Amino acid sequence: MEDKIIIRVGAKTLIPFIMVFALYVQFHGDYGPGGGFQAGVIFAAGFILYGLIFGVDMAKKVLPLSVAWLFGSAGVLIFAGVGVVTLLLGGDFLDYSVLAHDPEHGQHWGILLVELGVLTTVFGVMISIFYSFAGRRGLGT
Amino acid sequence: MLVLTALALLKLNNLFAVAMLAGIYSLLSAALFTVMDAVDVAFTEAAVGAGISTVLMLGCIALVGQTSKQPPKPAFLPLFVVFVTGGMLVYGTLDIPPYGDPDNPVHHHVADYYLEDSSHDIGIPNVVTSVLASYRGYDTMGETTVIFAAMVGVLLLLVQSPRRRGSYKDSSLKSSYHNSSDNHSMHSTSEDDSYPGDN
């Protein structure tokens, strides 16, 4: 699809907005609809759009498969790590109130970190599944 | 609309059109969720169902070709089973309290506590987020792990290193040995991806 100029220019214009919107969904999840899962999927969708238009090989130059795996595993580690940290700080597992002096702030921090973990995992997983489907033959190459 | 799309999905033979219709089906259900005020679910449905899974299906179509085989003759036993199960499910709904009634038990189990106390427990206006990430943190962690497990499963099934394909014809006893060594080599080889016809 590399020779279709309208698609290329259109996608190049759209992708940054999709990614910024994903970040908005992520960090605005406390106030409006959205959260880590949705943000991760939207971020991955922006990246997959890039892979569709410019080919999986180009996409892999931007973000190699091994990095996507790293993301996918790191998210679970972040999530469980927050739980371990709360244990070490004397609370229950995943009880964020102990993360800061004020329980409410602790909850804020905990939710922020946990959603970050979800975002990372979902993004990495979606990207690596896309690679392993599309990289086999045909599509985008 | 949903029913029409589903029927068309069943009838069509062209897989490309089927993938597109499945995307449309997801988008329609997302609209339905929005109408029912479940914006978070609608969000997810639109992004995953209509977006990414359509792309994945297109990827599959690129591998398997565009038209499906002619389906075998309609089998009546499965149809009968489907109708009986559907009938039983509909019969089951007769006992359910009326839809949307604020006095339903589901609205008074823990929901009252979440709605009233989450703003000063957690201090976040969106109750959905505080339920998901804090009150039900274990569940969400389990979900994240499930997604991670899905990735591991897909990668184990789909990503093959050329070495393993070469040793395909070897005795199956050896393959268990290869498995352990492949895990290291996958990292380096899968980046310059392997095409089935390459070797």
Side-chain angles (χ1 to χ4, degrees), chain A residues 25 29-32 34 37-38 41-42 60 66 69 72 79 93 96 104 107-108 111 121 125 128 132-133 135-136, chain B residues 40 43-44 47 60 120 122-126 129 133-134 138 141 144 147-148 151 154-155 158 187 191 193 195-196:
Chain A
V25 168
D30 297 357
Y31 307 100
F37 188 85
Q38 288 88 345
V41 170
I42 294 172
K60 276 183 181 167
S66 50
W69 295 358
F79 206 129
F93 189 65
Y96 317 126
E104 215 172 85
Q107 293 283 350
H108 270 293
I111 289 177
T121 292
V125 169
S128 51
S132 48
F133 268 84
R136 305 199 98 198
Chain B
D40 284 86
F43 226 136
T44 317
C60 287
H120 68 82
I122 315 244
I124 279 180
N126 186 1
T129 300
S134 187
Y138 279 22
M141 194 178 100
T144 318
I147 297 169
F148 173 67
M151 174 179 87
V154 167
L155 291 179
L158 290 185
H187 254 281
E191 281 167 29
D193 211 336
Y195 299 94

Side-chain angles (χ1 to χ4, degrees), chain B residues 4-197:
Chain B
L4 273 183
T5 323
L7 285 179
L9 266 176
L10 281 179
K11 277 292 163 197
L12 276 173
N13 249 346
N14 186 338
L15 290 180
F16 184 75
V18 167
M20 285 301 142
L21 271 180
I24 291 175
Y25 188 88
S26 287
L27 213 55
L28 284 175
S29 0
L32 183 68
F33 291 141
T34 317
V35 170
M36 295 169 90
D37 279 342
V39 198
D40 284 86
V41 188
F43 226 136
T44 317
E45 178 71 38
V48 179
I52 290 186
S53 64
T54 310
V55 170
L56 291 184
M57 274 199 264
L58 288 180
C60 287
I61 288 172
L63 291 176
V64 299
Q66 270 218 11
T67 49
S68 63
K69 286 179 193 162
Q70 206 59 36
K73 279 182 185 172
F76 286 103
L77 183 65
L79 189 70
F80 178 70
V81 172
V82 165
F83 266 103
V84 169
T85 320
M88 278 158 66
L89 286 175
V90 170
Y91 177 71
T93 60
L94 294 181
D95 282 346
I96 290 180
Y99 173 76
D101 189 352
D103 293 331
N104 285 346
V106 67
H107 298 312
H108 293 288
H109 180 49
V110 283
D112 288 337
Y113 177 79
Y114 289 157
L115 286 177
E116 282 163 16
D117 292 346
S118 76
S119 59
H120 68 82
D121 268 3
I122 315 244
I124 279 180
N126 186 1
V127 185
V128 176
T129 300
S130 52
V131 169
L132 269 181
S134 187
Y135 289 118
R136 297 272 163 198
Y138 279 22
D139 290 356
T140 311
M141 194 178 100
E143 256 173 50
T144 318
T145 319
V146 166
I147 297 169
F148 173 67
M151 174 179 87
V152 173
V154 167
L155 291 179
L156 281 179
L157 285 173
L158 290 185
V159 177
Q160 289 180 318
S161 71
R163 259 181 73 194
R164 183 186 294 182
R165 214 172 301 116
S167 67
Y168 221 64
K169 286 164 194 156
D170 292 2
S171 65
S172 53
L173 281 175
K174 274 186 185 172
S175 67
S176 61
Y177 162 73
H178 275 278
N179 270 344
S180 55
S181 61
D182 268 353
N183 282 337
H184 304 289
S185 61
M186 259 201 278
H187 254 281
S188 51
T189 50
S190 47
E191 281 167 29
D192 47 6
D193 211 336
S194 44
Y195 299 94

